[in-house]
Amino acid sequence: MDVVTSIKELRQRINRAPRPIGLVPTMGALHEGHLSLVRRARADSATVVATIFVNPTQFGPTEDLTRYPRDLEADLKLLEDNGVDVAFCPSTDKVYPQGFATTVEVRGPALPLEGEARPDHFRGVATVVTKLLLMSAPDVAYFGQKDAQQAAVIKQLVADLDIPVHVEVCPTVREPDGLAMSSRNAYLSAEQRAAAPVIFGALSAVQTLYESGELSRQTLERRCREMLEAEPLIEAIDYVAVVDSGSFIQAADLLGVQPVTLVVAARIGGTRLIDNVVLKPEAG
Ligand code: PAF
């Protein structure tokens, strides 16, 4: 595996790499969720590029940029063990040199929910992902369903900016008790960690309710909220919403007609966790 830190080196390496090229962008602190993307990219591609860059522009002023977990050595070993060909680990000033003055701002799916709770977040994500796509020119870029709204925002920017890449969204990887894998799970105390699977429990219960024929958006959202509120360690619920999976607009009339996504953001202690499930109408 080649480890490169400059954009020039990355481009040189990409230019002689066999295609298709699969890109897995990450912020490091790698877990099975990231590695499932790497393995999928490995299976699909002649060359796998993974990036490790804790992108400062997607963190709000009071968020966890400084304490975000970082272990470059361990991450590089995991990437190498899982068959990555090129690891791109730039410093912040390589990505955002002095005088940097351009941002990519997506409206549509970037506006509600996470967009409201974290006002500058998607501008930072869209800007860095656009840059990573332009730097590495992949054929396919891999993202996790866990960050469903992020995936919708990236699909939107790729379509709107005519970037020639396919965006592949891969299934959420969960701990045995259902908690979605996330680098931020490391912030949970043992007690909080034991309470955290309530989120997937609530999502699964609503999925079952939906599959038993309940098509009222309000009823489904209320049930999910009630289950979360029953857990004393959940300190705040930022949102519970059934949304159209592409636009992220709250979906009332689509229920039972096409797949929609039930999304949740909740706080346990100071840790904000997000998760989702897709509600699919019965085939036939
Ligand atoms: O999902 C993430 O880890 C980040 O938002 C991403 C896509 C790597 C951009 O910094």
Side-chain angles (χ1 to χ4, degrees):
M1 181 176 82
D2 295 332
V3 180
V4 299
T5 56
S6 79
I7 296 159
K8 189 173 164 204
E9 276 175 291
L10 176 67
R11 289 220 164 98
Q12 282 170 348
R13 181 66 182 80
I14 294 289
N15 284 342
R16 59 183 167 81
R19 289 194 172 266
I21 295 175
L23 175 72
V24 182
T26 82
M27 297 208 298
L30 301 180
H31 51 66
E32 269 305 308
H34 300 109
L35 299 180
S36 72
L37 304 181
V38 168
R39 288 194 280 265
R40 175 68 196 277
R42 182 67 285 162
D44 294 351
S45 329
T47 304
V48 178
V49 179
T51 69
I52 299 179
F53 178 63
V54 183
N55 174 36
T57 64
Q58 68 188 76
F59 290 79
T62 59
E63 291 183 358
D64 55 342
L65 172 61
T66 48
R67 70 180 187 123
Y68 196 81
R70 290 164 170 88
D71 190 346
L72 186 59
E73 207 181 311
D75 287 345
L76 290 175
K77 174 148 184 12
L78 286 169
L79 293 181
E80 176 144 47
D81 289 350
N82 284 275
V84 167
D85 299 298
V86 185
F88 177 51
C89 317
S91 58
T92 303
D93 61 332
K94 290 265 170 30
V95 179
Y96 300 114
Q98 226 184 353
F100 187 86
T102 303
T103 56
V104 176
E105 182 149 0
V106 179
R107 291 190 295 274
L111 293 180
L113 305 170
E114 287 298 288
E116 278 170 16
R118 304 179 70 192
D120 297 325
H121 174 65
F122 283 132
R123 188 183 306 126
V125 171
T127 302
V128 81
V129 169
T130 303
K131 285 182 63 100
L132 294 171
L133 292 174
L134 295 177
M135 287 170 199
S136 54
D139 298 282
V140 183
Y142 296 84
F143 297 90
Q145 171 66 23
K146 149 91 174 30
D147 295 305
Q149 193 173 358
Q150 168 173 281
V153 168
I154 292 166
K155 281 187 174 175
Q156 181 79 48
L157 82 84
V158 160
D160 290 351
L161 300 180
D162 302 304
I163 302 178
V165 64
H166 171 74
V167 175
E168 186 67 35
V169 182
C170 302
T172 303
V173 178
R174 300 185 179 281
E175 302 285 357
D177 60 9
L179 178 64
M181 291 207 181
S182 162
S183 307
R184 291 191 167 101
N185 293 349
Y187 299 152
L188 298 169
S189 69
E191 199 193 359
Q192 292 164 347
R193 172 64 189 81
V198 68
I199 297 176
F200 185 59
L203 291 170
S204 305
V206 172
Q207 190 162 39
T208 306
L209 189 60
Y210 169 82
E211 281 163 7
S212 72
E214 178 57 69
L215 296 181
S216 154
R217 177 174 67 79
Q218 283 85 351
T219 305
L220 295 170
E221 290 175 354
R222 193 180 331 109
R223 181 76 193 112
C224 190
R225 205 169 259 281
E226 281 165 3
M227 289 190 69
L228 295 173
E229 283 168 354
E231 169 50 63
L233 290 188
I234 298 260
E235 283 171 16
I237 300 171
D238 282 2
Y239 56 77
V240 170
V242 175
V243 295
D244 172 72
S245 308
S247 69
F248 268 71
I249 292 170
Q250 277 192 327
D253 37 353
L254 299 177
L255 271 160
V257 178
Q258 67 181 55
V260 292
T261 308
L262 170 62
V263 286
V264 167
R267 289 170 200 265
I268 300 193
T271 305
R272 188 168 180 279
L273 299 175
I274 62 170
D275 201 352
N276 66 84
V277 289
V278 176
L279 307 178
K280 288 194 188 121
E282 252 177 55

